[in-house]
Amino acid sequence: MTGQPGQAHRVFITGASSGIGAALAHEYAARGAVLGLVARRRELLAELAAALPGAGRHRIYPLDVCDHAALAQAAADFLQAHGGADIVIASAGISHGTLTERPQDLPVFEAVFATNVGATVATFAPFIAAMKTQAGPCRLVGIGSVAGIRGMRGAGAYCASKAAVHSYCESLRLELHDSNIRVVTIAPGYIATPMTRNNRFPMPFLMSAERFAAQAAAAIARGDSYRVLPWQMGLVARLLRLLPNALFDAVFSRAPTKQRKEEA
């Protein structure tokens, strides 16, 4: 996949200051891309941009992805500065353990959905019209999760939000089927990032963020509609889909829960 002839990829990434987003920024910068980097923390964004190859080419946008007006303004600035966008990756995401019986967790549910689902829509929306006018292939990339395959105890907000990302991206893929835009869903398993650092349960097939970014970039270039990384977790995901509810409940009803926000 390339942009216009002789032009480097133009890549816009949310959640870029750490974890998967930062790893993707390093991967694409190493490939010669020009980047638009979005995250809340200005200092971390500036440090990241300065450390990337071609540092002077990249633009940073310190904002909260739940501020949809600011996100649209950043998209407009990136499109104007670079004449288009080839890849847009909605990588911003948060994760907290939640229990529906705890009233104090309702705002946490709302925040998780706003960041993981609403901001994914708001990230893609400002780019679609411009991408349709471009001559080359384009990609909209949603970052889901293996956690979106089946609900897990104490992780209702995160699991449901990532299932919603999967379904939303599938709907968008159908909407854009006859265009030059491919919608790619990447479902990470356990990736070594700050988000997974405090998990209180085993994390099989734990993958480095750098290795994840390289394999994700390859899947994005191919235009894969859906890809689980690492591949071993793809097999686990297929098995989880096939488990009858009674067996699934018996196995996972006593699994350790994710740390809740008030426990952090």
Side-chain angles (χ1 to χ4, degrees), residues 9-176:
H9 285 164
R10 299 158 295 185
V11 184
F12 188 89
I13 304 172
T14 66
S17 63
S18 66
I20 283 173
L24 287 165
H26 279 282
E27 178 68 26
Y28 279 107
R31 296 175 178 224
V34 291
L35 306 179
L37 303 171
V38 175
R40 288 176 297 172
R41 295 171 288 185
R42 179 184 294 272
E43 297 80 6
L44 289 181
L45 272 183
E47 290 174 10
L48 171 65
L52 295 175
R57 300 196 307 266
H58 311 308
R59 302 174 85 85
I60 65 169
Y61 302 100
L63 59 90
D64 187 330
V65 290
C66 293
D67 184 343
H68 298 170
L71 192 52
Q73 187 175 7
D77 178 81
F78 186 79
L79 288 167
Q80 182 176 23
H82 299 297
D86 303 301
I87 301 171
V88 175
I89 305 175
S91 181
I94 59 175
S95 174
H96 296 291
T98 46
L99 293 172
T100 300
E101 67 187 84
R102 304 288 180 92
Q104 62 268 40
D105 284 3
L106 180 55
V108 181
F109 270 87
E110 293 169 342
V112 169
F113 269 81
T115 302
N116 295 0
V117 185
T120 295
V121 180
T123 297
F124 293 161
F127 287 98
I128 291 174
M131 282 181 159
K132 284 182 175 180
T133 68
Q134 294 175 207
C138 299
R139 305 284 189 262
L140 297 175
V141 183
I143 302 297
S145 173
V146 169
I149 304 299
R150 300 288 305 247
M152 291 294 169
R153 178 173 175 262
Y158 187 69
C159 291
S161 73
K162 290 304 185 179
V165 169
H166 296 176
S167 293
Y168 163 67
C169 287
E170 188 164 56
S171 296
L172 185 61
R173 191 173 77 238
L174 298 178
E175 293 171 22
L176 298 175

Side-chain angles (χ1 to χ4, degrees), residues 171-223:
S171 296
L172 185 61
R173 191 173 77 238
L174 298 178
E175 293 171 22
L176 298 175
H177 182 267
D178 295 326
S179 75
N180 62 321
I181 305 170
R182 294 281 186 92
V183 178
V184 177
T185 305
I186 303 292
Y190 294 114
I191 311 300
T193 68
M195 185 181 289
T196 59
R197 188 174 297 147
N198 295 324
N199 283 350
R200 301 182 294 193
F201 45 80
M203 294 185 285
F205 312 117
L206 183 68
M207 188 182 211
S208 72
E210 294 75 20
R211 188 177 173 202
F212 167 84
Q215 293 188 17
I220 292 165
R222 291 191 301 266

